[in-house]
Every structure is written in C-alpha cells, then in structure tokens.
Amino acid sequence: MSLFGSSQSPSPERSAESGATGSRFLVLEGIDGAGKTTHLQFLASQLRGAGQSVLITREPGGSPLAESLREIVLHSPMDGLTELLIIFAARRDHLRQTIWPALDRGQWVISDRFTDSTRAYQGTARGLPSSLIEAMAQAVEAEGRGPDHVFYFDLPAEVAAKRRRDRSAGALLAEETDRFDSETIAFFERVRLGYRLAAENRADRQTWIDAQRPVEAIQQDLARLMKPWLPGGSSVPGAASP
C-alpha cells in the first residue's frame, strides 16, 4: 500500500467516548488540486453504501454564517491576522450549528478542511505564531469533539497548480478565483510543509497519502482503511478486497 504515515483507524473506545457510538468525524486536508473533493465523495459513497448517515461539509463554511464569512475571507483584501480571526469565527459557528449536532445525531461527518488547514496556511505559510493558533483552537474547539481521523493528500505545489489550470481549461464555465489563487508556488510549498508538521502531531489518527498516484489506487487503499470502521468490519459494495 503506497500510503505513508499511520493508516490506523480511530479506536472504537475513543469514538464512543466522543459522541454517538459509531459516528466519526473525518477530515480531508491538502492544497487545492490534490483531489480532496473526489476522494471525499468516494468516502461518503462507501459509508452510505454500508447504511451509514453521512454529512459532507467544508471550511471555511458549513453553516449560513460561516458561508458568509467564507466569502469575506476568499474575496476581501486583509492581512494574515484578520484572516485568522475570521476563519476561527467561521469554525466556531460551523462546529456549533453543523458538526457537533450531526455527531450527536449519530451521523458521520466528513469535512473538506479543518484546523490543520489553519496551521498550514495561516501558520506555516503566512508566518503567524503557532502559540496564537493553538490558543484560538483551544478556545473554539475544546468544549466539543474534534476529528477522529485526518487524511492528508500530499502533492507538490507545481503539480497541484497544473491540475488546477487543466481543470479550469476543461470547465464549461470559468471557475471563480479567489485571493489564494494569486499566491506563489513557494507559498503553497510552505503550506505543504505545514501539513507535514501537523500530521506529525496526530500520531495514529492520520493517514498520509501520495496524491500523485492514480485515483483508483488511492481509493482501493481508502476502502481497505475504512473496512474496520464499518458495521461488522465487512467491505461495502464496490470496495476493494484486502
């Protein structure tokens, strides 16, 4: 299996202590172009095929207020600290209005980005102090449940940029651009480093994935990883056999 880093699933004991038995909070991280959206939909389809209720969400965003703040972050000029404060405000509302209620109902939650994106983009790439980011994360997130498992999709910044260009060229309608689209390759390489640093702190609650591999190969490995999470530990329709 060409996954590196840990590929262990969160323990049933941790999941049961954190919320409704069986539900889990999964996060997909990586720079734009790494394939997160494709693989998020795959994970959701596998879970639904096994009879699980799944909520798909994203950051910034995921609640009406957070979606409004997302538009500000993506399209309004601001410095790094302002960006950080708005992102954490959006995250707080996202947790309270969307993520925590879904977990309490017994749903699986799969989010496109969460706090490790903040550590990578605003921390490592923009240079804001990690002590500030961790203090804000503690204030915003500590009273409830955090991610059970994080998937990091790793891709060189130049390869990701080419994928984004190819995707835009093949789109019927022009894709909307935002402030981050104007950042340099060097910026996104710093983001990539930030994800590596974040993954090192997650021990057995993360999987590091080489996103240059074919989509089918990645999804075969994801299906194997998911197998012990599903009822009875059995594979679901369409999942690869170990």
PDB file of all heavy atoms in Angstrom, residues 88-123:
ATOM      1  N   PHE A  88     -11.454  31.443  12.348  1.00  0.00           N
ATOM      2  CA  PHE A  88     -11.844  30.815  13.609  1.00  0.00           C
ATOM      3  C   PHE A  88     -13.274  31.184  14.004  1.00  0.00           C
ATOM      4  O   PHE A  88     -13.983  30.370  14.610  1.00  0.00           O
ATOM      5  CB  PHE A  88     -10.864  31.160  14.717  1.00  0.00           C
ATOM      6  CG  PHE A  88      -9.751  30.150  14.848  1.00  0.00           C
ATOM      7  CD1 PHE A  88      -8.444  30.496  14.552  1.00  0.00           C
ATOM      8  CD2 PHE A  88     -10.023  28.853  15.255  1.00  0.00           C
ATOM      9  CE1 PHE A  88      -7.423  29.560  14.669  1.00  0.00           C
ATOM     10  CE2 PHE A  88      -9.012  27.909  15.370  1.00  0.00           C
ATOM     11  CZ  PHE A  88      -7.697  28.264  15.079  1.00  0.00           C
ATOM     12  N   ALA A  89     -13.710  32.384  13.661  1.00  0.00           N
ATOM     13  CA  ALA A  89     -15.115  32.735  13.920  1.00  0.00           C
ATOM     14  C   ALA A  89     -16.034  31.831  13.100  1.00  0.00           C
ATOM     15  O   ALA A  89     -17.052  31.325  13.611  1.00  0.00           O
ATOM     16  CB  ALA A  89     -15.360  34.199  13.571  1.00  0.00           C
ATOM     17  N   ALA A  90     -15.682  31.610  11.840  1.00  0.00           N
ATOM     18  CA  ALA A  90     -16.475  30.713  10.996  1.00  0.00           C
ATOM     19  C   ALA A  90     -16.462  29.290  11.550  1.00  0.00           C
ATOM     20  O   ALA A  90     -17.485  28.601  11.570  1.00  0.00           O
ATOM     21  CB  ALA A  90     -15.927  30.734   9.568  1.00  0.00           C
ATOM     22  N   ARG A  91     -15.291  28.845  12.025  1.00  0.00           N
ATOM     23  CA  ARG A  91     -15.183  27.478  12.556  1.00  0.00           C
ATOM     24  C   ARG A  91     -16.055  27.291  13.801  1.00  0.00           C
ATOM     25  O   ARG A  91     -16.684  26.241  13.968  1.00  0.00           O
ATOM     26  CB  ARG A  91     -13.718  27.164  12.864  1.00  0.00           C
ATOM     27  CG  ARG A  91     -13.501  25.760  13.428  1.00  0.00           C
ATOM     28  CD  ARG A  91     -12.046  25.374  13.363  1.00  0.00           C
ATOM     29  NE  ARG A  91     -11.594  25.385  11.985  1.00  0.00           N
ATOM     30  CZ  ARG A  91     -10.475  25.982  11.555  1.00  0.00           C
ATOM     31  NH1 ARG A  91      -9.684  26.604  12.416  1.00  0.00           N
ATOM     32  NH2 ARG A  91     -10.155  25.960  10.276  1.00  0.00           N
ATOM     33  N   ARG A  92     -16.064  28.282  14.653  1.00  0.00           N
ATOM     34  CA  ARG A  92     -16.880  28.181  15.865  1.00  0.00           C
ATOM     35  C   ARG A  92     -18.352  27.973  15.511  1.00  0.00           C
ATOM     36  O   ARG A  92     -19.018  27.083  16.063  1.00  0.00           O
ATOM     37  CB  ARG A  92     -16.709  29.451  16.693  1.00  0.00           C
ATOM     38  CG  ARG A  92     -17.602  29.544  17.924  1.00  0.00           C
ATOM     39  CD  ARG A  92     -17.245  28.502  18.955  1.00  0.00           C
ATOM     40  NE  ARG A  92     -18.070  28.648  20.138  1.00  0.00           N
ATOM     41  CZ  ARG A  92     -18.015  27.832  21.192  1.00  0.00           C
ATOM     42  NH1 ARG A  92     -17.178  26.816  21.194  1.00  0.00           N
ATOM     43  NH2 ARG A  92     -18.792  28.035  22.228  1.00  0.00           N
ATOM     44  N   ASP A  93     -18.858  28.763  14.575  1.00  0.00           N
ATOM     45  CA  ASP A  93     -20.263  28.617  14.193  1.00  0.00           C
ATOM     46  C   ASP A  93     -20.495  27.297  13.471  1.00  0.00           C
ATOM     47  O   ASP A  93     -21.519  26.635  13.674  1.00  0.00           O
ATOM     48  CB  ASP A  93     -20.690  29.781  13.303  1.00  0.00           C
ATOM     49  CG  ASP A  93     -22.205  29.892  13.198  1.00  0.00           C
ATOM     50  OD1 ASP A  93     -22.838  30.226  14.220  1.00  0.00           O
ATOM     51  OD2 ASP A  93     -22.744  29.613  12.116  1.00  0.00           O
ATOM     52  N   HIS A  94     -19.549  26.898  12.654  1.00  0.00           N
ATOM     53  CA  HIS A  94     -19.644  25.619  11.934  1.00  0.00           C
ATOM     54  C   HIS A  94     -19.762  24.452  12.909  1.00  0.00           C
ATOM     55  O   HIS A  94     -20.598  23.555  12.734  1.00  0.00           O
ATOM     56  CB  HIS A  94     -18.394  25.471  11.059  1.00  0.00           C
ATOM     57  CG  HIS A  94     -18.377  24.291  10.166  1.00  0.00           C
ATOM     58  ND1 HIS A  94     -17.202  23.737   9.689  1.00  0.00           N
ATOM     59  CD2 HIS A  94     -19.371  23.523   9.644  1.00  0.00           C
ATOM     60  CE1 HIS A  94     -17.480  22.711   8.914  1.00  0.00           C
ATOM     61  NE2 HIS A  94     -18.789  22.550   8.870  1.00  0.00           N
ATOM     62  N   LEU A  95     -18.942  24.470  13.938  1.00  0.00           N
ATOM     63  CA  LEU A  95     -18.991  23.410  14.947  1.00  0.00           C
ATOM     64  C   LEU A  95     -20.328  23.402  15.682  1.00  0.00           C
ATOM     65  O   LEU A  95     -20.972  22.366  15.826  1.00  0.00           O
ATOM     66  CB  LEU A  95     -17.844  23.585  15.946  1.00  0.00           C
ATOM     67  CG  LEU A  95     -16.450  23.181  15.463  1.00  0.00           C
ATOM     68  CD1 LEU A  95     -15.380  23.729  16.397  1.00  0.00           C
ATOM     69  CD2 LEU A  95     -16.326  21.668  15.354  1.00  0.00           C
ATOM     70  N   ARG A  96     -20.742  24.563  16.143  1.00  0.00           N
ATOM     71  CA  ARG A  96     -21.946  24.644  16.971  1.00  0.00           C
ATOM     72  C   ARG A  96     -23.217  24.378  16.186  1.00  0.00           C
ATOM     73  O   ARG A  96     -24.159  23.742  16.680  1.00  0.00           O
ATOM     74  CB  ARG A  96     -22.037  26.016  17.648  1.00  0.00           C
ATOM     75  CG  ARG A  96     -20.948  26.263  18.682  1.00  0.00           C
ATOM     76  CD  ARG A  96     -21.158  27.592  19.397  1.00  0.00           C
ATOM     77  NE  ARG A  96     -22.335  27.521  20.261  1.00  0.00           N
ATOM     78  CZ  ARG A  96     -23.468  28.172  20.044  1.00  0.00           C
ATOM     79  NH1 ARG A  96     -23.595  28.948  18.964  1.00  0.00           N
ATOM     80  NH2 ARG A  96     -24.477  28.075  20.882  1.00  0.00           N
ATOM     81  N   GLN A  97     -23.274  24.825  14.955  1.00  0.00           N
ATOM     82  CA  GLN A  97     -24.504  24.733  14.180  1.00  0.00           C
ATOM     83  C   GLN A  97     -24.588  23.476  13.318  1.00  0.00           C
ATOM     84  O   GLN A  97     -25.697  23.035  12.984  1.00  0.00           O
ATOM     85  CB  GLN A  97     -24.648  25.977  13.269  1.00  0.00           C
ATOM     86  CG  GLN A  97     -24.678  27.292  14.011  1.00  0.00           C
ATOM     87  CD  GLN A  97     -25.851  27.380  14.965  1.00  0.00           C
ATOM     88  OE1 GLN A  97     -26.928  26.826  14.715  1.00  0.00           O
ATOM     89  NE2 GLN A  97     -25.662  28.080  16.078  1.00  0.00           N
ATOM     90  N   THR A  98     -23.451  22.906  12.950  1.00  0.00           N
ATOM     91  CA  THR A  98     -23.456  21.816  11.968  1.00  0.00           C
ATOM     92  C   THR A  98     -22.772  20.546  12.463  1.00  0.00           C
ATOM     93  O   THR A  98     -23.391  19.480  12.522  1.00  0.00           O
ATOM     94  CB  THR A  98     -22.779  22.289  10.664  1.00  0.00           C
ATOM     95  OG1 THR A  98     -23.435  23.472  10.181  1.00  0.00           O
ATOM     96  CG2 THR A  98     -22.849  21.199   9.591  1.00  0.00           C
ATOM     97  N   ILE A  99     -21.496  20.636  12.815  1.00  0.00           N
ATOM     98  CA  ILE A  99     -20.715  19.427  13.079  1.00  0.00           C
ATOM     99  C   ILE A  99     -21.131  18.732  14.367  1.00  0.00           C
ATOM    100  O   ILE A  99     -21.461  17.534  14.362  1.00  0.00           O
ATOM    101  CB  ILE A  99     -19.209  19.750  13.098  1.00  0.00           C
ATOM    102  CG1 ILE A  99     -18.738  20.146  11.695  1.00  0.00           C
ATOM    103  CG2 ILE A  99     -18.405  18.546  13.600  1.00  0.00           C
ATOM    104  CD1 ILE A  99     -17.299  20.594  11.617  1.00  0.00           C
ATOM    105  N   TRP A 100     -21.136  19.445  15.476  1.00  0.00           N
ATOM    106  CA  TRP A 100     -21.473  18.796  16.745  1.00  0.00           C
ATOM    107  C   TRP A 100     -22.900  18.260  16.768  1.00  0.00           C
ATOM    108  O   TRP A 100     -23.116  17.126  17.222  1.00  0.00           O
ATOM    109  CB  TRP A 100     -21.209  19.747  17.910  1.00  0.00           C
ATOM    110  CG  TRP A 100     -19.743  19.974  18.167  1.00  0.00           C
ATOM    111  CD1 TRP A 100     -18.697  19.174  17.796  1.00  0.00           C
ATOM    112  CD2 TRP A 100     -19.159  21.097  18.841  1.00  0.00           C
ATOM    113  NE1 TRP A 100     -17.502  19.717  18.203  1.00  0.00           N
ATOM    114  CE2 TRP A 100     -17.743  20.892  18.844  1.00  0.00           C
ATOM    115  CE3 TRP A 100     -19.678  22.252  19.426  1.00  0.00           C
ATOM    116  CZ2 TRP A 100     -16.864  21.807  19.436  1.00  0.00           C
ATOM    117  CZ3 TRP A 100     -18.808  23.161  20.022  1.00  0.00           C
ATOM    118  CH2 TRP A 100     -17.416  22.940  20.025  1.00  0.00           C
ATOM    119  N   PRO A 101     -23.906  18.995  16.272  1.00  0.00           N
ATOM    120  CA  PRO A 101     -25.253  18.409  16.238  1.00  0.00           C
ATOM    121  C   PRO A 101     -25.339  17.144  15.388  1.00  0.00           C
ATOM    122  O   PRO A 101     -26.043  16.195  15.750  1.00  0.00           O
ATOM    123  CB  PRO A 101     -26.109  19.536  15.650  1.00  0.00           C
ATOM    124  CG  PRO A 101     -25.391  20.791  16.015  1.00  0.00           C
ATOM    125  CD  PRO A 101     -23.939  20.433  15.908  1.00  0.00           C
ATOM    126  N   ALA A 102     -24.622  17.115  14.256  1.00  0.00           N
ATOM    127  CA  ALA A 102     -24.649  15.920  13.405  1.00  0.00           C
ATOM    128  C   ALA A 102     -24.034  14.727  14.118  1.00  0.00           C
ATOM    129  O   ALA A 102     -24.570  13.610  14.081  1.00  0.00           O
ATOM    130  CB  ALA A 102     -23.912  16.194  12.092  1.00  0.00           C
ATOM    131  N   LEU A 103     -22.918  14.927  14.788  1.00  0.00           N
ATOM    132  CA  LEU A 103     -22.292  13.838  15.532  1.00  0.00           C
ATOM    133  C   LEU A 103     -23.194  13.350  16.665  1.00  0.00           C
ATOM    134  O   LEU A 103     -23.298  12.152  16.921  1.00  0.00           O
ATOM    135  CB  LEU A 103     -20.938  14.287  16.082  1.00  0.00           C
ATOM    136  CG  LEU A 103     -19.847  14.560  15.034  1.00  0.00           C
ATOM    137  CD1 LEU A 103     -18.651  15.226  15.679  1.00  0.00           C
ATOM    138  CD2 LEU A 103     -19.434  13.270  14.332  1.00  0.00           C
ATOM    139  N   ASP A 104     -23.865  14.275  17.330  1.00  0.00           N
ATOM    140  CA  ASP A 104     -24.789  13.903  18.408  1.00  0.00           C
ATOM    141  C   ASP A 104     -25.965  13.080  17.872  1.00  0.00           C
ATOM    142  O   ASP A 104     -26.522  12.245  18.594  1.00  0.00           O
ATOM    143  CB  ASP A 104     -25.310  15.141  19.122  1.00  0.00           C
ATOM    144  CG  ASP A 104     -24.254  15.802  20.005  1.00  0.00           C
ATOM    145  OD1 ASP A 104     -23.256  15.131  20.333  1.00  0.00           O
ATOM    146  OD2 ASP A 104     -24.429  16.985  20.352  1.00  0.00           O
ATOM    147  N   ARG A 105     -26.337  13.303  16.612  1.00  0.00           N
ATOM    148  CA  ARG A 105     -27.416  12.522  15.994  1.00  0.00           C
ATOM    149  C   ARG A 105     -26.933  11.147  15.529  1.00  0.00           C
ATOM    150  O   ARG A 105     -27.728  10.337  15.052  1.00  0.00           O
ATOM    151  CB  ARG A 105     -27.996  13.275  14.792  1.00  0.00           C
ATOM    152  CG  ARG A 105     -28.767  14.540  15.131  1.00  0.00           C
ATOM    153  CD  ARG A 105     -29.525  15.056  13.911  1.00  0.00           C
ATOM    154  NE  ARG A 105     -28.663  15.387  12.800  1.00  0.00           N
ATOM    155  CZ  ARG A 105     -28.157  16.599  12.564  1.00  0.00           C
ATOM    156  NH1 ARG A 105     -28.429  17.594  13.408  1.00  0.00           N
ATOM    157  NH2 ARG A 105     -27.395  16.825  11.518  1.00  0.00           N
ATOM    158  N   GLY A 106     -25.637  10.892  15.609  1.00  0.00           N
ATOM    159  CA  GLY A 106     -25.094   9.620  15.159  1.00  0.00           C
ATOM    160  C   GLY A 106     -24.657   9.630  13.714  1.00  0.00           C
ATOM    161  O   GLY A 106     -24.344   8.570  13.156  1.00  0.00           O
ATOM    162  N   GLN A 107     -24.591  10.810  13.077  1.00  0.00           N
ATOM    163  CA  GLN A 107     -24.123  10.881  11.699  1.00  0.00           C
ATOM    164  C   GLN A 107     -22.606  10.882  11.635  1.00  0.00           C
ATOM    165  O   GLN A 107     -21.922  11.361  12.544  1.00  0.00           O
ATOM    166  CB  GLN A 107     -24.633  12.166  11.035  1.00  0.00           C
ATOM    167  CG  GLN A 107     -26.092  12.173  10.672  1.00  0.00           C
ATOM    168  CD  GLN A 107     -26.449  13.438   9.913  1.00  0.00           C
ATOM    169  OE1 GLN A 107     -26.566  14.519  10.496  1.00  0.00           O
ATOM    170  NE2 GLN A 107     -26.607  13.303   8.609  1.00  0.00           N
ATOM    171  N   TRP A 108     -22.075  10.354  10.539  1.00  0.00           N
ATOM    172  CA  TRP A 108     -20.679  10.569  10.197  1.00  0.00           C
ATOM    173  C   TRP A 108     -20.562  11.965   9.599  1.00  0.00           C
ATOM    174  O   TRP A 108     -21.440  12.408   8.850  1.00  0.00           O
ATOM    175  CB  TRP A 108     -20.203   9.559   9.164  1.00  0.00           C
ATOM    176  CG  TRP A 108     -20.058   8.154   9.663  1.00  0.00           C
ATOM    177  CD1 TRP A 108     -21.037   7.327  10.117  1.00  0.00           C
ATOM    178  CD2 TRP A 108     -18.848   7.410   9.734  1.00  0.00           C
ATOM    179  NE1 TRP A 108     -20.530   6.111  10.460  1.00  0.00           N
ATOM    180  CE2 TRP A 108     -19.180   6.129  10.233  1.00  0.00           C
ATOM    181  CE3 TRP A 108     -17.513   7.683   9.402  1.00  0.00           C
ATOM    182  CZ2 TRP A 108     -18.226   5.137  10.430  1.00  0.00           C
ATOM    183  CZ3 TRP A 108     -16.568   6.688   9.592  1.00  0.00           C
ATOM    184  CH2 TRP A 108     -16.918   5.438  10.102  1.00  0.00           C
ATOM    185  N   VAL A 109     -19.481  12.664   9.917  1.00  0.00           N
ATOM    186  CA  VAL A 109     -19.208  13.977   9.345  1.00  0.00           C
ATOM    187  C   VAL A 109     -17.890  13.894   8.580  1.00  0.00           C
ATOM    188  O   VAL A 109     -16.884  13.420   9.112  1.00  0.00           O
ATOM    189  CB  VAL A 109     -19.121  15.064  10.430  1.00  0.00           C
ATOM    190  CG1 VAL A 109     -18.697  16.399   9.817  1.00  0.00           C
ATOM    191  CG2 VAL A 109     -20.451  15.212  11.156  1.00  0.00           C
ATOM    192  N   ILE A 110     -17.903  14.327   7.317  1.00  0.00           N
ATOM    193  CA  ILE A 110     -16.691  14.399   6.507  1.00  0.00           C
ATOM    194  C   ILE A 110     -16.514  15.852   6.075  1.00  0.00           C
ATOM    195  O   ILE A 110     -17.364  16.412   5.384  1.00  0.00           O
ATOM    196  CB  ILE A 110     -16.758  13.496   5.266  1.00  0.00           C
ATOM    197  CG1 ILE A 110     -17.158  12.067   5.647  1.00  0.00           C
ATOM    198  CG2 ILE A 110     -15.410  13.495   4.545  1.00  0.00           C
ATOM    199  CD1 ILE A 110     -17.274  11.128   4.459  1.00  0.00           C
ATOM    200  N   SER A 111     -15.409  16.455   6.490  1.00  0.00           N
ATOM    201  CA  SER A 111     -15.173  17.865   6.200  1.00  0.00           C
ATOM    202  C   SER A 111     -13.986  18.053   5.261  1.00  0.00           C
ATOM    203  O   SER A 111     -12.926  17.454   5.449  1.00  0.00           O
ATOM    204  CB  SER A 111     -14.922  18.647   7.497  1.00  0.00           C
ATOM    205  OG  SER A 111     -14.759  20.023   7.224  1.00  0.00           O
ATOM    206  N   ASP A 112     -14.200  18.884   4.260  1.00  0.00           N
ATOM    207  CA  ASP A 112     -13.128  19.337   3.376  1.00  0.00           C
ATOM    208  C   ASP A 112     -12.438  20.495   4.093  1.00  0.00           C
ATOM    209  O   ASP A 112     -12.923  21.615   4.073  1.00  0.00           O
ATOM    210  CB  ASP A 112     -13.740  19.788   2.040  1.00  0.00           C
ATOM    211  CG  ASP A 112     -12.701  20.211   1.029  1.00  0.00           C
ATOM    212  OD1 ASP A 112     -11.534  20.451   1.420  1.00  0.00           O
ATOM    213  OD2 ASP A 112     -13.045  20.322  -0.162  1.00  0.00           O
ATOM    214  N   ARG A 113     -11.355  20.178   4.791  1.00  0.00           N
ATOM    215  CA  ARG A 113     -10.536  21.079   5.593  1.00  0.00           C
ATOM    216  C   ARG A 113     -11.083  21.234   7.016  1.00  0.00           C
ATOM    217  O   ARG A 113     -12.273  21.145   7.260  1.00  0.00           O
ATOM    218  CB  ARG A 113     -10.391  22.472   4.963  1.00  0.00           C
ATOM    219  CG  ARG A 113      -9.780  22.484   3.586  1.00  0.00           C
ATOM    220  CD  ARG A 113      -9.411  23.916   3.176  1.00  0.00           C
ATOM    221  NE  ARG A 113      -8.929  23.977   1.811  1.00  0.00           N
ATOM    222  CZ  ARG A 113      -7.725  23.592   1.419  1.00  0.00           C
ATOM    223  NH1 ARG A 113      -6.893  23.096   2.300  1.00  0.00           N
ATOM    224  NH2 ARG A 113      -7.364  23.682   0.156  1.00  0.00           N
ATOM    225  N   PHE A 114     -10.120  21.484   7.925  1.00  0.00           N
ATOM    226  CA  PHE A 114     -10.446  21.847   9.306  1.00  0.00           C
ATOM    227  C   PHE A 114      -9.215  22.563   9.863  1.00  0.00           C
ATOM    228  O   PHE A 114      -8.509  23.233   9.111  1.00  0.00           O
ATOM    229  CB  PHE A 114     -10.855  20.596  10.110  1.00  0.00           C
ATOM    230  CG  PHE A 114     -11.579  20.908  11.395  1.00  0.00           C
ATOM    231  CD1 PHE A 114     -12.800  21.553  11.367  1.00  0.00           C
ATOM    232  CD2 PHE A 114     -11.029  20.564  12.627  1.00  0.00           C
ATOM    233  CE1 PHE A 114     -13.468  21.855  12.548  1.00  0.00           C
ATOM    234  CE2 PHE A 114     -11.688  20.857  13.804  1.00  0.00           C
ATOM    235  CZ  PHE A 114     -12.911  21.500  13.767  1.00  0.00           C
ATOM    236  N   THR A 115      -8.927  22.423  11.139  1.00  0.00           N
ATOM    237  CA  THR A 115      -7.920  23.273  11.773  1.00  0.00           C
ATOM    238  C   THR A 115      -6.512  23.063  11.231  1.00  0.00           C
ATOM    239  O   THR A 115      -5.696  23.986  11.270  1.00  0.00           O
ATOM    240  CB  THR A 115      -7.943  23.081  13.296  1.00  0.00           C
ATOM    241  OG1 THR A 115      -9.287  23.275  13.764  1.00  0.00           O
ATOM    242  CG2 THR A 115      -7.048  24.085  13.997  1.00  0.00           C
ATOM    243  N   ASP A 116      -6.183  21.889  10.721  1.00  0.00           N
ATOM    244  CA  ASP A 116      -4.837  21.712  10.175  1.00  0.00           C
ATOM    245  C   ASP A 116      -4.607  22.588   8.945  1.00  0.00           C
ATOM    246  O   ASP A 116      -3.458  22.932   8.641  1.00  0.00           O
ATOM    247  CB  ASP A 116      -4.574  20.242   9.847  1.00  0.00           C
ATOM    248  CG  ASP A 116      -4.289  19.431  11.105  1.00  0.00           C
ATOM    249  OD1 ASP A 116      -4.042  20.036  12.170  1.00  0.00           O
ATOM    250  OD2 ASP A 116      -4.330  18.189  11.038  1.00  0.00           O
ATOM    251  N   SER A 117      -5.665  22.961   8.244  1.00  0.00           N
ATOM    252  CA  SER A 117      -5.501  23.934   7.156  1.00  0.00           C
ATOM    253  C   SER A 117      -5.088  25.290   7.717  1.00  0.00           C
ATOM    254  O   SER A 117      -4.278  26.005   7.111  1.00  0.00           O
ATOM    255  CB  SER A 117      -6.804  24.078   6.357  1.00  0.00           C
ATOM    256  OG  SER A 117      -6.913  23.062   5.393  1.00  0.00           O
ATOM    257  N   THR A 118      -5.638  25.650   8.870  1.00  0.00           N
ATOM    258  CA  THR A 118      -5.252  26.908   9.509  1.00  0.00           C
ATOM    259  C   THR A 118      -3.790  26.863   9.931  1.00  0.00           C
ATOM    260  O   THR A 118      -3.042  27.828   9.751  1.00  0.00           O
ATOM    261  CB  THR A 118      -6.142  27.181  10.728  1.00  0.00           C
ATOM    262  OG1 THR A 118      -7.514  27.079  10.332  1.00  0.00           O
ATOM    263  CG2 THR A 118      -5.887  28.567  11.297  1.00  0.00           C
ATOM    264  N   ARG A 119      -3.390  25.739  10.504  1.00  0.00           N
ATOM    265  CA  ARG A 119      -1.986  25.595  10.900  1.00  0.00           C
ATOM    266  C   ARG A 119      -1.064  25.703   9.690  1.00  0.00           C
ATOM    267  O   ARG A 119       0.023  26.284   9.777  1.00  0.00           O
ATOM    268  CB  ARG A 119      -1.796  24.257  11.604  1.00  0.00           C
ATOM    269  CG  ARG A 119      -2.548  24.147  12.932  1.00  0.00           C
ATOM    270  CD  ARG A 119      -2.332  22.805  13.614  1.00  0.00           C
ATOM    271  NE  ARG A 119      -2.966  22.797  14.930  1.00  0.00           N
ATOM    272  CZ  ARG A 119      -4.084  22.133  15.222  1.00  0.00           C
ATOM    273  NH1 ARG A 119      -4.685  21.399  14.286  1.00  0.00           N
ATOM    274  NH2 ARG A 119      -4.613  22.194  16.434  1.00  0.00           N
ATOM    275  N   ALA A 120      -1.486  25.142   8.554  1.00  0.00           N
ATOM    276  CA  ALA A 120      -0.640  25.132   7.362  1.00  0.00           C
ATOM    277  C   ALA A 120      -0.649  26.476   6.637  1.00  0.00           C
ATOM    278  O   ALA A 120       0.411  27.013   6.298  1.00  0.00           O
ATOM    279  CB  ALA A 120      -1.094  24.019   6.418  1.00  0.00           C
ATOM    280  N   TYR A 121      -1.851  27.022   6.389  1.00  0.00           N
ATOM    281  CA  TYR A 121      -1.961  28.252   5.598  1.00  0.00           C
ATOM    282  C   TYR A 121      -1.603  29.497   6.415  1.00  0.00           C
ATOM    283  O   TYR A 121      -0.744  30.285   6.018  1.00  0.00           O
ATOM    284  CB  TYR A 121      -3.376  28.402   5.041  1.00  0.00           C
ATOM    285  CG  TYR A 121      -3.644  27.602   3.797  1.00  0.00           C
ATOM    286  CD1 TYR A 121      -3.939  26.245   3.864  1.00  0.00           C
ATOM    287  CD2 TYR A 121      -3.611  28.194   2.533  1.00  0.00           C
ATOM    288  CE1 TYR A 121      -4.185  25.497   2.725  1.00  0.00           C
ATOM    289  CE2 TYR A 121      -3.859  27.463   1.377  1.00  0.00           C
ATOM    290  CZ  TYR A 121      -4.144  26.113   1.478  1.00  0.00           C
ATOM    291  OH  TYR A 121      -4.385  25.376   0.348  1.00  0.00           O
ATOM    292  N   GLN A 122      -2.295  29.697   7.519  1.00  0.00           N
ATOM    293  CA  GLN A 122      -2.063  30.916   8.300  1.00  0.00           C
ATOM    294  C   GLN A 122      -0.828  30.798   9.195  1.00  0.00           C
ATOM    295  O   GLN A 122      -0.200  31.807   9.495  1.00  0.00           O
ATOM    296  CB  GLN A 122      -3.303  31.261   9.140  1.00  0.00           C
ATOM    297  CG  GLN A 122      -4.453  31.847   8.344  1.00  0.00           C
ATOM    298  CD  GLN A 122      -5.154  30.840   7.460  1.00  0.00           C
ATOM    299  OE1 GLN A 122      -5.453  29.721   7.903  1.00  0.00           O
ATOM    300  NE2 GLN A 122      -5.427  31.217   6.223  1.00  0.00           N
ATOM    301  N   GLY A 123      -0.496  29.572   9.607  1.00  0.00           N
ATOM    302  CA  GLY A 123       0.667  29.367  10.451  1.00  0.00           C
ATOM    303  C   GLY A 123       1.955  29.256   9.653  1.00  0.00           C
ATOM    304  O   GLY A 123       2.706  30.219   9.525  1.00  0.00           O
TER     305      GLY A 123
END
